[in-house]
Amino acid sequence: MLDSATIDALRKSRSDWDARVDAEGRERPGPFMTVSSRPIERLYDATTLDESGWDVERDLGLPGEYPFTRGVHPTGYRGRPWTIRMFAGFGSAEETNERFKRLLDDGQTGLSIAFDMPTLMGYDHDDELAAGEFGKCGVGVSSLADMEILLDQLPLDQITTSMTINSPAAPIWAMYIAAAEQRGIDRSKLGGTLQNDILKEYIAQNEFVFPPRPSMRLVTDTVEFASEYMPRWNSISVSGYHIREAGSTAAQELAFTLADGLEYVRWAQERGLHVDEFAPRLSFFFNSHNDFFEEIAKFRAARRIWAREMRETFGAENPRSWWMRFHTQTAGVSLTDVQPEVNLLRVTIQALAAVLGGTQSLHTDAMDEALALPSEKAARLAVRTQQVIMHESGAINTVDPLGGSYFVEQLTNDLEREVYQYFEQIEALGGVIASIETGYFQKEIADASARFQREIERGERTIVGVNDFEIEEPLEIPILNMDPQGEARHLERLRRTRAERDQDQADSALAALANVCRDPRANSMPQMLDAVRSYCTLGEIMNTMREVFGEHQEHVVL
């Protein structure tokens, strides 16, 4: 970086400056810390980076070049802006289909499907366990008949689609593929992302069905199938978002997410796939929280660590295998149900951090999400937030505008170092699945969440409108109202689907699926597609696999 004489002179100058500032006594007592409770120094300069061993060529480099700290594309957003991909879904397939069309008309450039809780847990909506949950946190899908309506008239060969689904990822993906093929769209033309990140379910979100090992087998099936037949599809979106929403720090989000990603790579290699066959289609999904600079540093560290691990640990030779491509969503956990308009300001800061961190696609939360699913107006304003950043802020005019910032580069180094410390602990416990089974991840996140809450209660953190700047005012924003007939319409379609299908064909397809699931080296996707095309319901498919794999019971750590 700088020669020793220059560094010595800078250290002397800095020491004198610190002494003068301390003598003036103008600094507030603090604490000065990030959202993750990371202490922040008064000033960062060249001496800071020199002491940490930072090397501009090794650690920063150029955009589009290894280690990709500055982004995977040499021209950044000057070449192509990020995809505006709003997470949407509620009520019936008909209602969500209409919302998708309006979002595309408003300027959204990719779809992202939210499913309701029965769908996420693999139950049909007439199951007693699904009572009262239809369409509450996403759209209800029970069979291919619903998926056909959900995707009706949407240009699936022209846009990409993300689907947030995990335990039932394989059958839901099969429904998407089958619905597209019915319209004459070849599966090889389909582009999008299947979240399919079952490890983070055990770590944070708890929407699991099967035990970890058979679940990982199903994930590996989808990776193998996509590698062979669907070159434009990301078979996994390794998700830190839900880990952060559960209360983790930025470093925990990054470390646990990357550890999960590396575990998926190991399982695919054990299946016999070469790393360069599938790694270019792995993607990631991160949270963008309130601390502007910590989030930017997190994204930069993520790219650098992933590139190094893929090249040096797994021997990937294709540079695209070294790329970390990621979607970002602003922090739902940061939204408040008081003064909800203030959420627009929180989301703007979070979205700008994601952009300056180099995200490939972005969802901005709506201001009313602490109260209900977004109203149409709130969803439109969330899209407009991205459009203002993209077209009016100037943030996209140069590549990596914060590259070389003493503060950002040091935060990046600090996060990278902490991630590798977590890697060592996970390895010492026997790996990711062993760490899940012992409750290690869950306890780490719970401890971080509790510490954050204590800081709020002690007044060390200000949450605007919650523990300071409070006002009493009536709620004046519109709340989404769903079609009261949507559930009845859905249940009638489910009844009709079962009545009109070829029952012998459906039974045969489910029997074939059960048989292939018993063979750990076989790929279940062809039989999954046969079952879907036979109009077997999601619940029937998942129950068939429950009988083979069993159900997971979480190990509770107090």
Side-chain angles (χ1 to χ4, degrees), residues 99 102-103 106 368 373-381 478 480:
R99 172 65 66 88
R102 285 195 293 273
L103 284 169
D106 286 339
D368 55 358
L373 292 175
S375 68
E376 187 172 344
K377 180 178 180 180
R380 184 183 303 113
L381 282 171
L480 175 70

Side-chain angles (χ1 to χ4, degrees), residues 406-422:
Y406 299 128
F407 182 35
V408 170
E409 298 300 349
Q410 186 58 43
L411 278 179
T412 303
N413 293 344
D414 290 344
L415 281 162
E416 181 178 21
R417 182 174 59 255
E418 197 168 344
V419 164
Y420 276 101
Q421 290 170 352
Y422 273 117

Side-chain angles (χ1 to χ4, degrees), residues 174-244:
M175 291 180 195
Y176 186 95
I177 295 167
E181 290 181 336
Q182 284 179 351
R183 290 168 47 185
I185 303 172
D186 190 88
R187 64 181 65 163
S188 65
K189 305 298 182 186
L190 296 174
T193 300
L194 193 65
Q195 187 165 103
N196 202 20
D197 177 9
I198 197 61
L199 291 174
K200 70 94 174 50
E201 295 297 330
Y202 304 112
I203 291 172
Q205 188 162 247
N206 295 333
E207 289 168 3
F208 48 72
V209 176
F210 314 119
R213 286 172 175 79
S215 293
M216 286 292 288
R217 174 264 172 95
L218 291 173
V219 172
T220 308
D221 287 352
T222 62
V223 172
E224 184 178 45
F225 188 84
S227 298
E228 185 168 357
Y229 299 109
M230 300 182 69
R232 298 183 61 232
W233 199 277
N234 301 323
S235 52
I236 311 175
S237 176
V238 190
S239 176
Y241 184 84
H242 309 86
I243 293 171
R244 193 66 179 280

Side-chain angles (χ1 to χ4, degrees), residues 154-188:
L154 297 175
L156 303 182
D157 53 346
Q158 300 171 37
I159 58 173
T160 56
T161 304
S162 173
M163 292 189 286
T164 300
I165 193 81
N166 294 285
S167 278
I172 289 291
W173 190 37
M175 291 180 195
Y176 186 95
I177 295 167
E181 290 181 336
Q182 284 179 351
R183 290 168 47 185
I185 303 172
D186 190 88
R187 64 181 65 163
S188 65

